[in-house]
Amino acid sequence: KIGMQLMVVALFVSGISACSIFGKSRQMQHNEQISGNIRLDATDEEEEIDYGLFCKDECQEALTLQAPRDSITGTVGLIASGTFPYGLGTERMAKEAQTKFFPNMKLIIGNGESNPVLQSQIVDRFVAMDVDVIVIDLVEKDSVNPALERAKAAGIPIITIDRWTPVEVLTLIKAEDVEVGRKAGQHVVKLLEGKGNVVEMRGTEASTTTLDRNAGIVEAFMGYPEIQILESVNADFDEELARKIMEELLQRYPSGEIDALVSHADVMTLGAIKAIKAAGRQDEIVVVSVDAQETALEAIEAGEIDATVAYPIVMPMGIIAAAKTLAGESMPKYIELEAPLITKENVDAYKGKTGY
């Protein structure tokens, strides 16, 4: 076991290609950070955990740790889904939570880089390393499921964050994506007063995030026959791809034919509004998004985005759930986070507080 861990660390240090087990060397050099043996004095009062804006009373109750924090030992393997802002924010906030609250926990971070094959390889590598807990934000549920089953067969508890899987896991922590999509769609209906042509910009085709947010948006539009989805396109949570797709759509549908854009993620929205502004059509297209990353909140202040539905990064909640697992403490199968609608009227309450 020690030899395998040394081999993996050596791979991280030497740097490996984007198609290797742990992704780009730059990414893993950034991510592979194992804490030292820092201990809290037993007489010190533990600092209160800040769960953020989106984990309210029921969520906090489910994640309250009974064991002393400095008693938490073991290795946690965290796997983010991509290198877009949400994924990188997940990595950063996880490391901050581990360092601040669980100094004797060892945290190893990998990133699937939106590639289910790569993410599956990382799961298998964590199994080979005999980590104690896996916390994962899935790229795609179907493609990564076999690797999750192998981890379960090895006796490793699995905590899923952000996206769900049909594989039975210890717990799932996230905001409810159908409701997120429903809120975004309902706000589009409100802004268009029940009539207009809409472009829907989706994420990665097979991700549960995309499937569920689409379902919520479609549901919100039911009962409004004069709301039409002109195009529903996948931009893979990529800003530049979203910009190019929006440019093509603006050329295909001249002025007056697109009334709204509803986007599954701010990173795509920011690319799309570049195209909208370049075409001089920002005054004729309503823009509603999801996530609440800082640049999108600034765009709301500037009047470039009408609203976004906050989709919280699942940290420090994911690391706390891992700590509870290491301590042998139980949790509900599903822990739900809140997802409020953010507009120009309430944006100040969220600026600098969403983590990405």
Side-chain angles (χ1 to χ4, degrees), residues 244-284:
K244 291 178 180 178
I245 290 173
M246 197 67 207
E247 279 183 353
E248 295 171 0
L249 292 174
L250 292 168
Q251 292 171 8
R252 190 182 313 165
Y253 298 97
S255 181
E257 293 190 14
I258 299 176
D259 300 299
L261 167 69
V262 58
S263 168
H264 288 203
D266 291 339
V267 64
M268 298 184 296
T269 308
L270 293 166
I273 62 175
K274 288 179 181 177
I276 293 171
K277 289 165 64 179
R281 295 172 63 176
Q282 61 269 30
D283 293 332
E284 63 182 73

Side-chain angles (χ1 to χ4, degrees), residues 203-271:
T204 307
E205 185 174 5
S207 75
T208 61
T209 300
T210 296
L211 298 173
D212 288 350
R213 290 179 188 176
N214 167 258
I217 290 167
V218 170
E219 181 182 319
F221 290 169
M222 291 177 63
Y224 296 92
E226 294 185 277
I227 295 279
Q228 299 292 321
I229 297 180
L230 285 179
E231 300 278 353
S232 185
V233 293
N234 293 102
D236 297 339
F237 301 111
D238 184 277
E239 181 173 342
E240 181 58 20
L241 179 58
R243 183 190 65 79
K244 291 178 180 178
I245 290 173
M246 197 67 207
E247 279 183 353
E248 295 171 0
L249 292 174
L250 292 168
Q251 292 171 8
R252 190 182 313 165
Y253 298 97
S255 181
E257 293 190 14
I258 299 176
D259 300 299
L261 167 69
V262 58
S263 168
H264 288 203
D266 291 339
V267 64
M268 298 184 296
T269 308
L270 293 166

